[in-house]
């Protein structure tokens, strides 16, 4: 399987984040991609550089104001005499106006961000743009006839919504891949998210559409980020009613419990009969992940890959979470190898 990788990911090195009330060093760090790159190449998956599809695919899914803010945010930050990493100090939450975009950079931060855990630094846009191009390139490889392709996306993307960023995510890589496949003639596409955290951004982008099915297996938002999305009763709206399925699971879920729910989610995908599949691949379901609470072991990741492969669909993998840094590469490579062996 070809793995699409850009070294520009390293330009995003966030510094500090606010995690459950504490300011801590970022869990989403450049070494994550380095470990994955080394493991997937060692497993025989060849690296390829991303093509440049420009801004058009991004602007087709994301609000132009959000994109322009991400492109210019750090310049605006420097213009008011600041440096380092950017975090918001206020949000357009309940009782606040959401119809006015503040002109100043601090107001814009709180308008477009939905958490204080996603710092912006000088190289963030370069990394996020390259990450999106990795996803689009993997989708292009599959559209051109590859059985599967893997996009080593960093920063990740599945929390990025139409007009908001957060959860370490700036542009929604999985959604970009799915839309590219649609644009290349796949009548229907399914997105299956197996990250520990709910892919609220992907759900937001496709929530009113029937041509892209979104399915997510994740830690319950009753206790887990993003807290306000990912409940089982969120099933889509308008034309998309019935085309969003969430499978929230409690903290401490082990393989015996997870496996059955994963099979149910795969059954939902199979019943949809899509022409292509995008997997938002997070391996923060691993038992030693520092910000997650499932109990999957290394031996289970090839089984996940094999289960996905049995759907028999052209498949794009986009990298999402996984913060047990030393093990992340091994677990990602195991999913890809398990897929290829079927």
């Amino acid at each position: 399987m070809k793995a699409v990788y850009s070294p520009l990911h390293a330009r995003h090195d966030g510094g500090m984040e606010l995690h459950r009330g504490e300011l801590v060093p970022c869990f989403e760090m450049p070494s994550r991609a380095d470990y994955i790159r080394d493991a997937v190449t060692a497993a025989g998956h060849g690296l390829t550089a991303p093509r440049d599809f420009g801004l058009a695919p991004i602007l087709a899914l994301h609000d132009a104001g959000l994109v322009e803010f991400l492109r210019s945010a750090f310049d605006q930050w420097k213009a008011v005499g600041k440096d380092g990493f950017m975090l918001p100090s206020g949000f357009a939450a309940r009782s606040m106006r959401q119809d006015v975009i503040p002109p100043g950079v601090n107001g814009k931060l709180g308008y477009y961000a939905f958490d204080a855990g996603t710092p912006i630094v000088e190289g963030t846009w370069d990394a996020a743009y390259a990450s999106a191009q990795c996803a689009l390139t993997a989708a292009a490889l599959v559209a051109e006839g590859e059985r599967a392709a893997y996009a080593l996306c960093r920063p990740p993307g599945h929390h990025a919504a139409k007009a908001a960023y957060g959860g370490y995510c700036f542009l929604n890589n999985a959604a970009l891949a799915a839309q590219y496949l649609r644009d290349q003639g796949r009548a229907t596409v399914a997105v299956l998210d197996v990250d520990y955290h709910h892919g609220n951004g992907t759900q937001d982008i496709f929530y009113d559409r029937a041509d892209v099915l979104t399915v997510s297996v994740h830690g319950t938002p009753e206790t887990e980020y993003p807290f306000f999305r990912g409940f089982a009763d969120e099933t889509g709206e308008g034309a998309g009613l019935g085309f969003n399925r969430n499978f929230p699971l409690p903290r401490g879920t082990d393989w015996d419990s997870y496996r059955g729910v994963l099979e149910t989610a795969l059954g939902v995908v199979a019943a949809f009969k899509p022409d292509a599949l995008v997997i938002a691949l997070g391996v923060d379901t691993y038992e030693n992940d520092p910000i997650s609470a499932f109990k999957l072991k290394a031996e289970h990741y090839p089984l996940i890959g094999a289960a996905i492969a049995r759907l028999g669909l052209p498949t794009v993998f986009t990298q999402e979470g996984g913060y047990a840094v030393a093990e992340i590469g091994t677990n990602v490579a195991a999913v890809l190898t398990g897929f290829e062996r079927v």
Side-chain angles (χ1 to χ4, degrees):
M1 185 185 308
K2 292 179 180 177
V4 188
Y5 167 80
S6 170
L8 290 177
H9 79 85
R11 298 215 61 204
H12 175 66
D13 192 351
M16 303 289 283
E17 65 171 279
L18 191 66
H19 175 71
R20 294 187 183 258
E22 296 182 299
L23 196 62
V24 299
C26 289
F27 291 99
E28 204 293 290
M29 60 187 72
S31 59
R32 296 175 63 249
D34 298 334
Y35 277 101
I36 296 171
R37 177 201 61 209
D38 293 347
V40 298
T41 54
H45 307 289
L47 292 184
T48 188
R51 309 171 196 174
D52 189 350
F53 294 82
L55 279 175
I58 294 169
L59 291 169
L61 292 184
H62 286 292
D63 174 74
L66 168 66
V67 174
E68 180 55 31
F69 174 70
L70 294 173
R71 293 179 70 188
S72 64
F74 200 79
D75 287 340
Q76 295 179 53
W77 191 246
K78 289 194 295 184
V80 297
K82 297 185 179 182
D83 204 347
F85 61 91
M86 304 169 60
L87 289 177
S89 55
F91 298 93
R94 289 185 303 278
S95 82
M96 299 295 185
R97 289 188 65 171
Q98 298 182 356
D99 62 328
V100 177
I101 303 174
V105 65
N106 288 286
K108 286 179 182 174
L109 271 169
Y111 183 83
Y112 286 115
F114 57 82
D115 67 23
T118 310
I120 293 175
V121 297
E122 187 166 16
T124 294
W125 171 255
D126 291 342
Y129 180 84
S131 185
Q133 304 309 315
C134 287
L136 290 163
T137 301
L141 290 169
V142 169
E144 292 160 5
E146 297 279 350
R147 178 195 180 204
Y150 167 69
L152 205 176
C153 295
R154 183 187 174 269
H158 71 149
H159 293 303
K162 292 176 185 176
Y165 74 93
Y168 310 146
C169 303
F170 302 95
L171 301 172
N172 195 307
N173 304 310
L176 288 167
Q179 185 61 50
Y180 184 90
L181 291 166
R182 284 284 294 108
D183 293 342
Q184 295 302 307
R186 298 331 193 251
T188 54
V189 178
V191 180
L192 173 61
D193 193 321
V194 294
D195 189 275
Y196 179 78
H197 304 94
H198 175 249
N200 61 287
T202 314
Q203 174 174 303
D204 173 69
I205 288 169
F206 296 120
Y207 204 58
D208 60 355
R209 290 173 52 173
D211 58 330
V212 179
L213 172 74
T214 48
V215 182
S216 181
V217 180
H218 53 268
T220 176
E222 293 175 344
T223 58
E224 306 309 301
Y225 186 92
F227 303 114
F228 308 109
R229 282 295 187 195
F231 295 93
D233 64 352
E234 298 163 16
T235 58
E237 64 184 12
L241 185 62
F243 295 95
N244 186 84
R245 294 290 302 277
N246 289 325
F247 295 92
L249 295 170
R251 295 174 68 87
T253 293
D254 61 12
W255 175 247
D256 287 342
S257 299
Y258 183 90
R259 175 176 53 189
V261 176
L262 177 63
E263 290 294 341
T264 299
L266 291 167
V268 171
V269 172
F272 182 61
K273 298 181 179 179
D275 296 313
L277 174 66
V278 176
I279 300 295
L281 177 59
V283 293
D284 43 1
T285 49
Y286 180 58
E287 61 182 346
N288 293 329
D289 194 274
I291 60 172
S292 307
F294 284 175
K295 299 300 180 184
L296 273 61
K297 301 179 183 298
E299 66 204 57
H300 299 135
Y301 291 99
L303 303 179
I304 292 173
I308 293 167
R310 284 193 286 271
L311 289 172
L313 295 168
T315 302
V316 177
F317 293 87
T318 62
Q319 186 60 49
E320 303 293 348
Y323 308 100
V325 176
E327 296 93 346
I328 186 174
T330 300
N331 292 337
V332 169
V335 173
L336 303 182
T337 300
F339 179 94
E340 286 203 319
R341 288 178 177 169
V342 174

